[in-house]
């Protein structure tokens, strides 16, 4: 079955450590996205990529980095520069971006940094 | 001003009633809108999309779009306890990624 796989589901890290969240899709979608969700909040865009080897910053990119070396993969690194990294992270993909492209979401990674 | 705004709720309705969820947006260039349902601790799932002014119906769900008023709504008929969730409104607001509202929490009372 086609879908988006995020791993791990839960991740615990100590403050000051970098951590990488995995996102893989087999939907053959060109575009991929990372959103962050805090309790009781909507989704905020961190980074997105419309094509391999290219990506753009979203609204809250500071303290995060991404790569897009393969169409299927869009890993997110949460660096020690991110002041409040504890959150629910959602990866999504869509066909070539256009005004009629809904997002398909993975199951999310819940990151806790202490 | 946020690009997409929703009342956070909670909106409480009795079982069998119509739930009405509302969303406003600021970018007049927005072309498409989506409603996602999110259960606690889960990822959002798409339930409706709407691109043109007017109503679009799918089962118990009706999405309404009024571009002149920059207003999107979702009606849920015959609400069930299983509809209790947070409903996220999202718009394609010119940038090539969806912008989400903060969500409205719906509670359907049995």
């Amino acid at each position: 079955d086609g879908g988006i796989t995020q791993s791990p589901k839960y991740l615990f890290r100590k403050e000051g450590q970098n951590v990488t969240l995995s996102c893989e899709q087999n939907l053959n979608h060109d575009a991929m996205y990372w959103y962050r969700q805090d309790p009781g909040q909507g989704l905020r865009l961190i980074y997105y990529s419309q094509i391999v080897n290219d990506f753009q910053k979203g609204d809250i990119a500071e303290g995060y980095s991404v790569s897009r070396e393969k169409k299927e993969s869009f890993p997110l690194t949460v660096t020690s520069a991110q002041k409040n990294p504890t959150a629910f992270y959602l990866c999504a993909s869509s066909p070539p971006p256009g005004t009629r492209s809904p997002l398909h979401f993975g199951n999310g990674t819940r990151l806790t940094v202490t | 001003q946020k690009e997409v705004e929703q009342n956070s709720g909670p909106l409480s309705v009795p079982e069998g009633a119509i739930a009405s969820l509302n969303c406003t947006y600021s970018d007049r260039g927005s072309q498409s809108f989506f409603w996602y349902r999110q259960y606690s601790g889960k990822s959002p799932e798409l339930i409706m999309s709407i691109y043109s002014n007017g109503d679009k119906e799918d089962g118990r769900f009706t999405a309404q779009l009024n571009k002149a008023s920059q207003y999107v709504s979702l009606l849920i008929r015959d609400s069930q306890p299983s509809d209790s969730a947070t409903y996220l409104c999202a718009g394609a607001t010119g940038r090539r990624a969806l912008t989400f509202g903060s969500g409205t929490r719906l509670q359907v009372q049995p």
Side-chain angles (χ1 to χ4, degrees):
Chain A
D1 288 336
I4 302 173
T5 301
Q6 288 188 245
S7 61
K9 186 173 180 180
Y10 298 98
L11 190 53
F12 298 89
R13 279 294 183 270
K14 292 201 178 297
E15 196 172 322
Q17 293 179 334
N18 291 356
V19 60
T20 297
L21 282 58
S22 171
C23 178
E24 304 277 334
Q25 56 101 357
N26 60 5
L27 298 168
N28 199 32
H29 285 168
D30 289 304
M32 297 187 74
Y33 311 81
W34 276 104
Y35 286 88
R36 167 182 172 144
Q37 188 175 36
D38 294 283
Q41 303 292 315
L43 279 61
R44 292 186 289 167
L45 182 67
I46 305 173
Y47 269 99
Y48 63 104
S49 167
Q50 299 171 15
I51 195 170
V52 173
N53 293 322
D54 187 44
F55 47 82
Q56 287 79 42
K57 292 181 179 180
D59 297 317
I60 56 165
E62 185 176 349
Y64 300 97
S65 66
V66 293
S67 63
R68 187 84 187 278
E69 297 177 1
K70 299 187 299 182
K71 186 175 183 178
E72 302 78 19
S73 179
F74 192 40
L76 173 74
T77 296
V78 184
T79 75
S80 57
Q82 168 49 233
K83 291 184 172 58
N84 296 298
T86 294
F88 187 43
Y89 289 87
L90 287 158
C91 179
S93 70
S94 72
T99 57
R100 298 194 175 197
S101 300
L103 301 184
H104 301 259
F105 285 92
N107 288 331
T109 292
R110 193 166 298 278
L111 173 65
T112 302
V113 176
T114 57
Chain B
Q1 182 187 8
K2 292 183 180 177
E3 292 183 37
V4 178
E5 297 213 43
Q6 296 180 256
N7 187 319
S8 61
L11 173 65
S12 186
V13 300
E15 185 174 355
I18 295 175
S20 177
L21 303 159
N22 305 314
C23 171
T24 58
Y25 61 94
S26 60
D27 185 347
R28 285 197 172 273
S30 300
Q31 298 286 322
S32 306
F33 298 89
F34 306 91
W35 283 99
Y36 287 82
R37 177 175 63 200
Q38 186 177 27
Y39 292 112
S40 181
K42 303 295 186 183
S43 61
E45 54 179 324
L46 180 70
I47 53 173
M48 288 288 287
S49 57
I50 187 164
Y51 314 116
S52 306
N53 274 331
D55 295 0
K56 179 182 177 183
E57 187 175 318
D58 184 1
R60 295 187 297 114
F61 300 99
T62 298
Q64 300 174 317
L65 174 59
N66 183 325
K67 290 188 177 182
S69 300
Q70 296 177 248
Y71 179 89
V72 191
S73 66
L74 178 71
L75 301 178
I76 306 174
R77 288 181 298 282
D78 188 24
S79 295
Q80 301 298 310
S82 58
D83 294 325
S84 298
T86 295
Y87 289 80
L88 300 167
C89 173
T93 56
R95 180 183 52 199
R96 294 192 168 193
L98 292 186
T99 298
F100 286 81
S102 57
T104 298
R105 188 157 61 95
L106 173 66
Q107 295 176 339
V108 180
Q109 307 293 340

